[in-house]
Amino acid sequence: MRIKDHVAARLQELGAELRRDVSLAEKTSLGIGGTTDELLLGRYDSIPGVMRLLADEKIAHRFLGGGTNVLVADGDLPWIVLHLPHAQPGLRVEGNAAYVDASADLGGMVTFCAKNDLGGMEGLIGVPGSVGGALRMNAGAYGTQIGPHVREVELYRAATGQMETLRGSEIRFDYRHTSFAPDDVMLRVKLELPSKPFKEVLAGIRVCNEKRRSSQPLNQKSAGCIFKNPAGGSAGRMIDELGLKGHRVGDAMVSDRHANFFVNTGHASCSDMLKLVDEVRERVRRAYGVELETEVILWQN
Ligand code: EPU
């Protein structure tokens, strides 16, 4: 995807920095993805102007948060990627409320709240990615989900071209799914968290970290769990029972530590990973009659 020079000049006037021919393999935790132009937004209030310009110029685009739950296509990509302003994301606590920019690191947010004697988010400590990504997916782990703590979300709504503030009660948070529109852009969130002394939160964080370290391949390139768990079941256990740990397509491999983590052991391509996803899905369908749904977001052309 190429941005013409006159559009690049307008974007610069709007405070956005354009970087050309960026490899998304370097921007995602899987280490997979083709090449495109990247736009770093300088200020939140420039978002409507930038989005209008991209719409007028018919430039396809996607917002990339932490890049930790996405499988990006190979080759020359037909859309650009946008990043929220992320120099020193805002994090503020007032009583039991935490006000956090969507570009903030999720783990950093949990720690910041803990230092302010706010708990309830311990389970999310090792989930990689941004607060915006966690909101969109209703990230969860060890019995904690972000959704129930959300009181307000400020977002840019592409459908109206406006910044809007939604109350928590207006948003549906389900298992790894929310009612946000695919082109809504999360900007900030207000969370309400229970008071808890720092030491107690820290103890909970340590327990979750230990559980995660003992069961997940944290030192390998992955996007976390590749499939959602089916109702009442465990994708990881089923894949493991089928003896598929270590099964590979090229450098894409079913982790030998946790079978629902697919890892990039070297230079896996998106098509390797998709083939592996299809093969495993087919094996599970034949053995258990269950159709697994990907949890990782697929960014195909
Ligand atoms: N299991 C196996 N073999 C495996 C992996 C798991 O037998 O290779 C068994 C475990 O022994 C356990 C059961 O399957 O009895 C469930 O495993 P685990 O506790 O690891 O949890 P999970 O259901 O596989 C979910 C989330 C994780 C989250 C953990 C901890 C999904 C898809 N995954 O995993 O989230 O960290 O619980 O709460 O909901 C993610 O979203 O990317 C993710 C990693």
Side-chain angles (χ1 to χ4, degrees):
M1 181 83 200
R2 299 294 301 175
I3 293 192
K4 295 192 188 100
D5 289 345
H6 75 278
V7 181
R10 294 273 310 282
L11 287 167
Q12 199 175 3
E13 282 164 24
L14 287 164
E17 183 190 337
L18 181 64
R19 295 185 182 165
R20 297 204 187 264
D21 301 322
V22 172
S23 162
L24 293 195
E26 287 162 24
K27 306 277 170 180
T28 60
S29 58
L30 262 172
I32 292 176
T35 304
T36 189
D37 289 350
E38 179 184 59
L39 197 56
L40 283 71
L41 302 177
R43 305 183 315 265
Y44 278 93
D45 62 6
S46 70
I47 291 174
V50 170
M51 301 302 275
R52 266 193 298 274
L53 178 59
L54 296 178
D56 290 348
E57 297 291 332
K58 299 191 171 43
I59 296 171
H61 53 271
R62 294 172 183 211
F63 269 86
L64 187 66
T68 54
N69 196 43
V70 65
L71 172 58
V72 180
D74 303 313
D76 203 11
L77 302 169
W79 26 261
I80 64 167
V81 291
L82 273 62
H83 297 278
L84 287 179
H86 60 261
Q88 296 177 334
L91 285 155
R92 184 168 59 85
V93 159
E94 238 180 76
N96 286 77
Y99 298 83
V100 188
D101 283 353
S103 62
D105 174 69
L106 181 64
M109 187 266 276
V110 176
T111 315
F112 177 83
C113 291
K115 285 181 183 157
N116 284 278
D117 297 317
L118 293 181
M121 308 281 280
E122 293 86 332
L124 294 179
I125 189 67
V127 177
S130 66
V131 169
L135 277 176
R136 170 165 290 286
M137 289 299 292
N138 189 20
Y142 303 112
T144 305
Q145 294 189 340
I146 194 168
H149 300 288
V150 173
R151 293 295 167 268
E152 272 175 20
V153 175
E154 196 182 324
L155 48 77
Y156 171 78
R157 186 141 265 189
T160 60
Q162 305 287 330
M163 308 277 212
E164 293 183 18
T165 301
L166 301 183
R167 282 193 301 276
S169 56
E170 296 174 279
I171 308 161
R172 260 195 75 173
F173 289 99
D174 298 320
Y175 167 61
R176 300 294 196 276
H177 186 266
T178 59
S179 57
F180 294 116
D183 53 4
D184 282 345
V185 182
M186 311 292 121
L187 302 177
R188 291 189 189 90
V189 63
K190 175 186 175 187
L191 301 162
E192 192 179 310
L193 300 170
S195 302
K196 210 170 183 184
F198 176 53
K199 270 191 177 165
E200 277 180 36
V201 186
L202 201 60
I205 284 174
R206 289 207 174 111
V207 170
C208 292
N209 272 339
E210 189 40 48
K211 283 190 195 162
R212 197 178 285 280
R213 259 197 301 272
S214 66
S215 63
Q216 300 182 357
L218 302 185
N219 56 356
Q220 282 186 291
K221 290 182 188 168
S222 83
C225 286
I226 201 99
F227 294 113
K228 291 183 186 178
N229 282 333
S234 160
R237 185 183 295 131
M238 289 190 285
I239 300 167
D240 191 0
E241 281 172 0
L242 289 170
L244 291 172
K245 278 183 169 169
H247 180 65
R248 55 201 301 157
V249 174
D251 279 344
M253 188 182 93
V254 178
S255 161
D256 40 28
R257 199 166 173 79
H258 191 301
N260 198 15
F261 278 64
F262 288 12
V263 296
N264 174 5
T265 60
H267 297 96
S269 64
C270 180
S271 72
D272 293 335
M273 199 49 88
L274 287 174
K275 257 187 225 145
L276 188 62
V277 165
D278 283 346
E279 284 185 16
V280 171
R281 192 173 3 220
E282 178 57 24
R283 293 284 302 272
V284 169
R285 186 192 296 125
R286 272 195 272 139
Y288 296 92
V290 169
E291 180 75 20
L292 291 178
E293 189 190 331
T294 48
E295 195 262 353
V296 166
I297 308 293
L298 306 178
W299 277 11
Q300 305 307 302
N301 292 336

